[in-house]
Amino acid sequence: MSKRVDITGKTFGNVLILEYLLTKNTHAMYKCKCILCNSFIVVSYSNLKSGNTKSCASCGQKTHGMSKHPLYHRWRVLKDRRNLSDDWKDPVKFISDVESTFKEKYSLRRVDNSKPHSLTNSFWTKPRTDSHKKCERVYFT
Ligand SMILES: [Zn+2]
Protein backbone atom coordinates (compact mmCIF):
# COMPACT_ATOMS: atom_id res chain seq x y z
CA MET A 1 0.00 0.00 0.00
CA SER A 2 1.60 3.19 -1.17
CA LYS A 3 1.21 6.45 0.70
CA ARG A 4 2.45 8.35 -2.31
CA VAL A 5 0.58 11.56 -3.11
CA ASP A 6 -0.15 12.18 -6.75
CA ILE A 7 1.40 15.57 -7.50
CA THR A 8 1.81 15.13 -11.24
CA GLY A 9 1.08 18.39 -13.05
CA LYS A 10 1.50 20.53 -9.95
CA THR A 11 4.13 23.23 -9.62
CA PHE A 12 6.36 23.96 -6.65
CA GLY A 13 8.02 27.32 -7.13
CA ASN A 14 9.37 27.04 -10.65
CA VAL A 15 9.34 23.24 -10.71
CA LEU A 16 6.64 21.48 -12.70
CA ILE A 17 6.04 17.85 -11.74
CA LEU A 18 6.00 15.64 -14.83
CA GLU A 19 5.94 12.08 -13.51
CA TYR A 20 6.76 9.82 -10.59
CA LEU A 21 10.01 7.94 -11.10
CA LEU A 22 10.84 5.81 -8.08
CA THR A 23 11.16 5.81 -4.33
CA LYS A 24 14.72 6.04 -3.08
CA ASN A 25 15.49 5.71 0.65
CA THR A 26 11.82 6.36 1.40
CA HIS A 27 11.90 9.55 -0.72
CA ALA A 28 9.55 9.64 -3.68
CA MET A 29 11.52 10.97 -6.66
CA TYR A 30 9.83 12.86 -9.46
CA LYS A 31 10.89 13.82 -12.93
CA CYS A 32 10.32 17.57 -13.12
CA LYS A 33 10.86 20.49 -15.40
CA CYS A 34 12.39 23.80 -14.33
CA ILE A 35 10.03 26.31 -15.93
CA LEU A 36 12.69 29.05 -15.85
CA CYS A 37 15.05 27.31 -18.26
CA ASN A 38 13.04 24.24 -19.39
CA SER A 39 15.66 21.75 -18.18
CA PHE A 40 14.64 18.41 -16.71
CA ILE A 41 15.54 17.59 -13.13
CA VAL A 42 14.84 14.82 -10.65
CA VAL A 43 13.65 16.03 -7.27
CA SER A 44 12.36 14.28 -4.18
CA TYR A 45 8.89 15.13 -2.93
CA SER A 46 10.27 16.11 0.48
CA ASN A 47 12.53 18.76 -1.07
CA LEU A 48 9.64 20.15 -3.08
CA LYS A 49 7.27 20.16 -0.15
CA SER A 50 9.78 21.86 2.16
CA GLY A 51 10.59 24.48 -0.46
CA ASN A 52 14.26 23.44 -0.64
CA THR A 53 13.96 22.98 -4.38
CA LYS A 54 12.19 25.72 -6.27
CA SER A 55 14.04 25.45 -9.58
CA CYS A 56 16.94 23.55 -11.14
CA ALA A 57 20.38 23.95 -9.60
CA SER A 58 21.60 26.41 -12.21
CA CYS A 59 18.62 28.68 -11.64
CA GLY A 60 19.27 28.33 -7.91
CA GLN A 61 16.74 29.56 -5.43
CA LYS A 62 16.06 32.66 -7.47
CA THR A 63 12.52 33.41 -8.44
CA HIS A 64 13.18 36.53 -10.49
CA GLY A 65 14.30 34.55 -13.55
CA MET A 66 17.31 36.81 -14.02
CA SER A 67 20.05 34.30 -13.28
CA LYS A 68 20.82 33.76 -16.96
CA HIS A 69 21.02 37.46 -17.68
CA PRO A 70 24.55 38.66 -18.61
CA LEU A 71 24.26 41.38 -15.98
CA TYR A 72 23.23 39.03 -13.21
CA HIS A 73 26.79 37.85 -12.66
CA ARG A 74 27.97 41.47 -12.41
CA TRP A 75 25.29 42.07 -9.83
CA ARG A 76 26.36 39.03 -7.80
CA VAL A 77 29.97 40.23 -7.66
CA LEU A 78 28.87 43.68 -6.43
CA LYS A 79 26.50 42.16 -3.92
CA ASP A 80 29.23 39.90 -2.55
CA ARG A 81 31.41 42.99 -2.06
CA ARG A 82 28.49 44.69 -0.26
CA ASN A 83 28.83 47.59 -2.64
CA LEU A 84 25.21 48.18 -3.55
CA SER A 85 22.71 50.88 -2.64
CA ASP A 86 19.42 49.67 -1.20
CA ASP A 87 17.75 50.16 -4.58
CA TRP A 88 20.25 47.93 -6.32
CA LYS A 89 20.11 45.11 -3.78
CA ASP A 90 17.26 43.92 -5.97
CA PRO A 91 18.82 42.37 -9.10
CA VAL A 92 15.69 43.10 -11.15
CA LYS A 93 15.97 46.82 -10.38
CA PHE A 94 19.73 46.85 -10.99
CA ILE A 95 19.43 45.11 -14.34
CA SER A 96 16.55 47.28 -15.54
CA ASP A 97 18.50 50.44 -14.59
CA VAL A 98 21.77 49.58 -16.31
CA GLU A 99 20.69 47.23 -19.10
CA SER A 100 20.10 49.89 -21.75
CA THR A 101 23.65 51.26 -21.51
CA PHE A 102 25.45 47.97 -20.90
CA LYS A 103 27.98 46.56 -23.34
CA GLU A 104 29.79 43.28 -22.84
CA LYS A 105 33.25 44.71 -22.16
CA TYR A 106 32.23 47.67 -20.01
CA SER A 107 33.24 47.83 -16.37
CA LEU A 108 31.06 49.32 -13.67
CA ARG A 109 32.79 51.99 -11.58
CA ARG A 110 31.76 54.42 -8.88
CA VAL A 111 31.89 58.20 -9.01
CA ASP A 112 32.51 58.40 -5.26
CA ASN A 113 34.32 55.32 -3.98
CA SER A 114 33.23 55.92 -0.40
CA LYS A 115 29.61 55.35 -1.41
CA PRO A 116 27.93 52.20 -2.71
CA HIS A 117 26.98 51.61 -6.31
CA SER A 118 23.72 53.31 -7.21
CA LEU A 119 22.08 54.79 -10.25
CA THR A 120 23.68 58.19 -9.59
CA ASN A 121 26.99 56.96 -8.21
CA SER A 122 27.95 54.58 -11.00
CA PHE A 123 29.10 54.69 -14.58
CA TRP A 124 30.42 52.31 -17.18
CA THR A 125 33.93 52.63 -18.47
CA LYS A 126 34.65 51.53 -21.97
CA PRO A 127 37.75 49.35 -22.28
CA ARG A 128 40.98 51.20 -23.07
CA THR A 129 42.20 51.14 -26.60
CA ASP A 130 45.67 52.17 -27.78
CA SER A 131 44.37 55.41 -29.16
CA HIS A 132 42.72 56.44 -25.89
CA LYS A 133 44.73 57.26 -22.82
CA LYS A 134 41.68 57.96 -20.71
CA CYS A 135 38.76 55.61 -20.29
CA GLU A 136 35.54 56.95 -21.66
CA ARG A 137 32.69 57.09 -19.23
CA VAL A 138 29.07 56.22 -19.83
CA TYR A 139 26.67 57.56 -17.19
CA PHE A 140 23.18 56.31 -16.48
CA THR A 141 21.60 59.63 -15.64
ZN1 LIG B 1 16.38 26.16 -14.41
Side-chain angles (χ1 to χ4, degrees):
M1 179 81 187
S2 171
K3 286 178 190 165
R4 186 158 55 80
V5 191
D6 184 15
I7 53 168
T8 309
K10 290 190 178 174
T11 52
F12 292 81
N14 295 299
V15 177
L16 171 68
I17 315 302
L18 296 178
E19 60 177 316
Y20 168 76
L21 286 178
L22 65 138
T23 296
K24 201 164 94 184
N25 303 327
T26 73
H27 292 294
M29 307 297 289
Y30 288 85
K31 183 181 175 183
C32 310
K33 190 170 85 168
C34 171
I35 59 179
L36 294 176
C37 64
N38 286 328
S39 61
F40 294 104
I41 47 174
V42 175
V43 188
S44 74
Y45 178 55
S46 56
N47 275 336
L48 292 165
K49 200 171 61 172
S50 65
N52 281 341
T53 305
K54 290 174 182 158
S55 68
C56 73
S58 66
C59 292
Q61 301 289 322
K62 313 296 175 297
T63 51
H64 48 71
M66 287 288 186
S67 57
K68 297 232 177 235
H69 196 284
L71 279 165
Y72 184 75
H73 179 71
R74 307 279 191 118
W75 176 82
R76 274 304 299 258
V77 171
L78 296 171
K79 183 174 170 279
D80 289 348
R81 291 182 192 152
R82 299 169 193 278
N83 261 347
L84 289 168
S85 66
D86 286 343
D87 262 9
W88 279 8
K89 280 177 184 151
D90 175 6
V92 177
K93 170 82 173 125
F94 169 75
I95 290 172
S96 74
D97 279 352
V98 305
E99 189 171 31
S100 61
T101 49
F102 170 66
K103 294 216 171 49
E104 192 59 50
K105 293 201 168 127
Y106 284 12
S107 323
L108 195 64
R109 302 252 184 273
R110 282 175 287 172
V111 180
D112 179 346
N113 279 319
S114 67
K115 292 178 182 157
H117 277 287
S118 69
L119 190 61
T120 50
N121 194 42
S122 303
F123 59 90
W124 295 113
T125 55
K126 296 182 185 179
R128 276 169 208 266
T129 59
D130 290 340
S131 57
H132 288 94
K133 280 192 174 170
K134 266 185 126 181
C135 290
E136 267 188 84
R137 294 178 172 201
V138 181
Y139 291 93
F140 306 117
T141 52

